[in-house]
Amino acid sequence: MQKDWLIVGDVHGCRAELDALLAKAEFRPEQTELIFVGDLINKGPDSEGVLERAVAYNARMVLGNHETNFLEQARAGTFRPGSMSRVAEQMGPRLGKWVDYLERQPFWLIRPQLLVVHAGLHPSLALEDTPPRILTRIRTWGENGLFMDREQDPPWYHFYQGDATVVYGHWARAGLVMRERTIGLDSGCVYGFQLSALRWPQRELIQVNAFETYVQVPLD
Ligand SMILES: [Mn+2]
């Protein structure tokens, strides 16, 4: 039998809250597989600590837009000044190790009746044919995909007609969104709200409050 999954929403470097969430969930790696919906890094105080937890617990993850952004800047050999360059600074001589680690991670994870992806799905393309840019960034769908993040457009999940439940993150402004076939887990921890996890297949929600507001709104 496949282990249960404990699927964690966007952590964004909130390592202390991740530890608290895992304690609250009574997470035990020998019984449960730890899964991340992406955006483990950037914005918050301890990105490397979050990655270290992922490795220590043999977690699986999908790539978020902050990981792809990190990898792009690492490949370019230079980080633009800002929070991502601070992530790289924190890693110091271990930067290459984390680049290698993240380069091995997928854009989606599947088990029967469940799909995990960072942001969402294209309204009609098959998963394998969907550009990673969409999987890691989509929120809404407007003008045939010209816009993926306009408030007046319908959310991507209004077009979703699959049977599997899709668990995603990326949309802190919308907060926790629990629908029958789509579950959004980015409840804005780094903005001072909550870190959320979903136990699957039980569909049990576990949350902890942020210890601090690390980034002020507007949410992104
Ligand atoms: Mn994101």
Side-chain angles (χ1 to χ4, degrees):
M1 252 219 359
Q2 191 167 10
K3 286 180 180 177
D4 292 347
W5 279 7
L6 184 69
I7 310 165
V8 177
D10 306 41
V11 183
H12 276 306
C14 296
R15 195 261 314 145
E17 287 84 349
L18 174 62
D19 288 342
L21 182 72
L22 296 179
K24 187 172 181 180
E26 300 181 353
F27 167 68
R28 294 172 60 188
E30 59 279 13
Q31 292 176 345
T32 303
E33 205 164 4
L34 184 61
I35 308 287
F36 290 96
V37 303
D39 283 2
L40 287 74
I41 63 166
N42 206 14
K43 301 189 183 211
D46 189 8
S47 291
E48 188 175 31
V50 175
L51 293 174
E52 284 168 347
R53 296 297 185 278
V55 170
Y57 296 131
N58 201 19
R60 300 167 71 188
M61 62 172 284
V62 297
L63 292 167
N65 54 303
H66 286 266
E67 281 85 33
T68 57
N69 185 322
F70 171 84
L71 288 172
E72 279 163 20
Q73 296 192 52
R75 278 187 214 114
T78 171
F79 285 84
R80 289 185 293 280
S83 66
M84 198 69 90
S85 66
R86 289 193 293 275
V87 171
E89 267 169 42
Q90 183 193 11
M91 293 171 174
R94 300 170 302 282
L95 176 65
K97 166 187 136 176
W98 293 118
V99 169
D100 291 346
Y101 175 76
L102 291 173
E103 277 181 336
R104 293 196 304 272
Q105 306 307 319
F107 286 103
W108 65 80
L109 291 168
I110 294 176
R111 65 183 275 171
Q113 293 303 105
L114 179 67
L115 164 66
V116 179
V117 64
H118 178 62
L121 302 180
H122 185 281
S124 55
L125 286 177
L127 190 55
E128 312 78 61
D129 299 330
T130 306
R133 185 179 58 84
I134 294 179
L135 297 175
T136 58
R137 293 177 184 275
I138 192 170
R139 291 189 179 109
T140 57
W141 187 253
E143 297 189 25
N144 251 332
L146 188 60
F147 301 99
M148 296 196 301
D149 197 11
R150 264 193 335 187
E151 280 195 14
Q152 69 260 40
D153 295 324
W156 66 268
Y157 51 76
H158 282 192
F159 303 97
Y160 179 63
Q161 295 188 315
D163 291 325
T165 297
V166 182
V167 176
Y168 63 97
H170 188 60
W171 204 344
R173 200 177 306 131
L176 181 76
V177 179
M178 295 192 79
R179 295 161 61 94
E180 197 188 337
R181 293 279 188 259
T182 57
I183 298 176
L185 286 181
D186 187 354
S187 44
C189 186
V190 79
Y191 302 101
F193 298 102
Q194 288 89 32
L195 185 63
S196 299
L198 185 77
R199 201 188 303 279
W200 189 271
Q202 294 84 352
R203 286 180 178 255
E204 177 198 355
L205 180 70
I206 300 123
Q207 292 188 296
V208 296
N209 290 323
F211 299 159
E212 285 182 49
T213 297
Y214 302 99
V215 177
Q216 297 288 337
V217 288
L219 280 58
D220 178 25

